[in-house]
Amino acid sequence: MAELMSGNQAIARGAYEAGITVASGYPGTPSTEILENTVQYKDSIYCEWAPNEKVAFEVGAGAAFAGARTMVTMKHVGLNVAADPLMTLSYTGVEGGFVFIVADDPGMHSSQNEQDSRHYAIFGKVPMLEPSDSQEAKDFMVAAIEISEEFKTPVMLRTNTRVSHSRSLVNTSDRVQSEKPVAFEKNPARWVPVPLWARGMRVRVEERMELLKEYACRSPLNRIEWNNKELGIVTSSISYQYVKEVWPEASVLKLGMAYPYPDRLIAEFAAGVKTLLVVEELDPLLEEHISSLGIKCVGREFIPGIGELTSDVLRRCRAKMEGQAAPEQPLATYAAELPNRPPVLCPGCPHRGIFHVLRKHNVVVTGDIGCYSLGAFKPLERLDSILCMGAGISMAHGMDKAGNDRKVVGMVGDSTFFHSGITGLLNVAYNKSKATIVVVDNRTTAMTGHQDHPGTGTTLMGDVTVSASIEAIAKACGINRVNVVNPYNVEATNKVVTEDLQADEPSLIISRATCPLKERPKIDNPYQIDQDKCKNCKLCTKIGCPAIDGGGEKPTINPVLCFACGVCHQVCPADCISKVKK
């Protein structure tokens, strides 16, 4: 029976049908929903959120060493974190099937870069599959496990935002269990990549790649769709769907197993068409490889390498190739009168209080990846840099040691702290930094949809577990000044921040209050602004709360949006903001 599924749902279903028994990952859009859907099969698949992608990858490797079929999930920047174990797992190989899913984000809809993760398949010398719709997302999971076990190799399944989140019909099948027993067999020459044995592994990786190249040429995942032979297009992933829409008359070589490159198939296809066009998102990897084979092709001169491809983008590319004027892009009339709505911190967000307090101090704030990244924008404007997860702490230390002329504050979220902040904090203590570190602890992984983490006390499977203490970890790292503040109490928070900024030692402030979208309390008496007492100073609008409307003659508070956190009441100098009386 066909079911309507997103690509992420289909991957989860594919994991079930492929007989996977262990699944680990770290949440990150656009990959998050894979494990959130896999957990519905928890009677068959053990699922977990790991503290970070490297840990998840190593969990999967351990399971696969023992013979279990395993899946690991992450977004593209998460693969950077997991790259260390990937490179060596390629050498050791696996016993049970091992598939790692990487969701790229062309166009950077929810990411700090749009790196092309296909490079990692080449770098790591592992096969890579690229589904173009939900049916293939499910089917390719099963195929990936089969390839992994046949060639004893980790397999990369690369998706992107459109494949992950678009929905299409999927025909499901029954689960196929592995017949292998789960039992690790001692064999140091295979599992211990010290130089003595790793040199032999290196040779076997190349031998495996040659076998995989031959396999790619005969794999049904790669296919030629002959049509008009004036134009032949080589493509993969979601780009295939756009190609079929924009060039319905063209012949197409669709690469489902996109690496290793099926050179013989590419040569056969190229020989059969007059003009060869390569359509791929982001980097010109396919184009460069085809050119290296001595095959004439075009690609980047017509297909952009920045941003997400769409049907409209490719229509303009086709017009350029044919020397025609680009088709006009009509404006969406239904949106013409709507104002811009940039992302903002939610009403009642606890991060707002700490940002307001930091605005009172002449400090540099090195930030991190999370909801609190929005603190860089107006009207808060209290986040000065973002690099990658955990860098909020490490960059603060580096800036402090560089002798920056202002005190430095490093900021991370609670999930980010467990992901990659602990080692940075250890470095702060060990190397005697004077930076102040702030963990904005809203008791969840909020930005990606309220997933649990080691500090929440609950696992992905819903089991009650230990709740790791940020305070205790900080003390164990050697941080002596550790304070917990309620960011809704502006005066008390400012007192702690002021004292810590004046201290001649590193300090940690934990700004702790639950994310209101997770807690969703009932608000009976929101705040209101007394229009007669209001001096129209607009200070309340500077905290950036969506519930406060500053567009009229004087600010007003939308009672439907108000969370009743009280921050606006505390910042008002005229004392004209109070709760609505019942």
Side-chain angles (χ1 to χ4, degrees), residues 120-181:
Y120 275 105
I122 300 170
F123 192 17
K125 298 181 181 294
V126 296
M128 175 183 65
L129 310 187
E130 289 192 277
S132 64
D133 59 22
S134 297
Q135 181 68 57
E136 288 188 347
K138 182 199 75 88
D139 294 343
F140 283 18
M141 273 298 302
V142 177
I145 285 291
E146 293 172 351
I147 293 169
S148 178
E149 292 188 343
E150 179 177 349
F151 294 94
K152 307 295 185 183
T153 178
V155 176
M156 175 176 170
L157 184 76
R158 177 182 179 258
T159 69
N160 55 39
T161 301
R162 294 302 162 196
V163 173
S164 292
H165 292 162
S166 295
R167 295 177 181 273
S168 58
L169 289 174
V170 175
N171 291 306
T172 59
S173 302
D174 295 331
R175 179 172 168 86
V176 178
Q177 297 277 23
S178 172
E179 296 179 358
K180 294 180 180 179

Side-chain angles (χ1 to χ4, degrees), residues 161-431:
T161 301
R162 294 302 162 196
V163 173
S164 292
H165 292 162
S166 295
R167 295 177 181 273
S168 58
L169 289 174
V170 175
N171 291 306
T172 59
S173 302
D174 295 331
R175 179 172 168 86
V176 178
Q177 297 277 23
S178 172
E179 296 179 358
K180 294 180 180 179
V182 177
F184 178 74
E185 294 184 7
K186 184 178 178 65
N187 185 353
R190 180 179 180 187
W191 303 121
V192 184
V194 294
L196 170 65
W197 292 312
R199 294 187 187 102
M201 295 176 186
R202 174 73 181 89
V203 174
R204 288 191 290 276
V205 166
E206 292 304 322
E207 293 171 345
R208 184 185 72 204
M209 286 301 296
E210 290 302 313
L211 294 174
L212 283 165
K213 286 177 184 177
E214 177 60 31
Y215 180 89
C217 290
R218 55 183 168 81
S219 170
L221 302 180
N222 297 326
R223 67 175 184 265
I224 295 176
E225 299 175 358
W226 290 117
N227 205 337
N228 188 313
K229 296 185 178 181
E230 287 294 307
L231 177 65
I233 301 175
V234 184
T235 190
S236 63
S237 188
I238 193 64
S239 300
Y240 168 78
Q241 304 292 355
Y242 304 143
V243 162
K244 296 295 286 185
E245 185 175 342
V246 176
W247 285 280
E249 77 286 357
S251 294
V252 175
L253 171 55
K254 181 189 182 301
L255 299 181
M257 186 175 179
Y259 188 80
Y261 302 116
D263 291 350
R264 193 173 67 250
L265 195 62
I266 292 171
E268 175 190 343
F269 182 69
V273 297
K274 183 177 180 180
T275 301
L276 187 66
L277 172 67
V278 181
V279 177
E280 55 188 325
E281 278 185 324
L282 303 179
D283 297 339
L285 300 184
L286 263 173
E287 180 184 354
E288 290 175 356
H289 177 74
I290 293 172
S291 296
S292 75
L293 298 176
I295 297 172
K296 184 179 179 181
C297 64
V298 293
R300 190 56 73 239
E301 60 195 277
F302 298 112
I303 311 299
I306 298 175
E308 183 180 32
L309 293 183
T310 65
S311 298
D312 288 339
V313 169
L314 290 187
R315 286 190 185 96
R316 292 194 290 273
C317 295
R318 176 168 185 167
K320 183 179 179 181
M321 284 183 64
E322 297 174 353
Q324 305 293 326
E328 293 186 5
Q329 297 296 307
L331 294 175
T333 54
Y334 62 84
E337 303 301 320
L338 293 177
N340 289 328
R341 288 184 170 88
V344 293
L345 295 175
C346 301
C349 177
H351 304 335
R352 185 170 286 108
I354 191 69
F355 277 128
H356 173 73
V357 166
L358 288 172
R359 247 190 347 208
K360 298 174 179 289
H361 302 274
N362 184 25
V363 294
V364 176
V365 183
T366 57
D368 221 296
I369 310 300
C371 295
Y372 48 95
S373 300
L374 297 172
F377 301 110
K378 291 180 181 294
L380 294 169
E381 295 183 289
R382 210 60 201 94
L383 206 62
D384 299 309
S385 72
I386 293 176
L387 185 61
C388 62
M389 293 190 71
I393 294 176
S394 302
M395 288 183 67
H397 170 68
M399 200 173 289
D400 173 72
K401 287 300 182 181
N404 190 64
D405 60 347
R406 287 183 286 159
K407 184 82 174 189
V408 188
V409 175
M411 180 176 287
V412 299
D414 46 331
S415 184
T416 305
F417 177 80
F418 294 115
H419 177 282
S420 49
I422 297 172
T423 49
L425 189 66
L426 181 62
N427 190 51
V428 164
Y430 175 65
N431 285 303

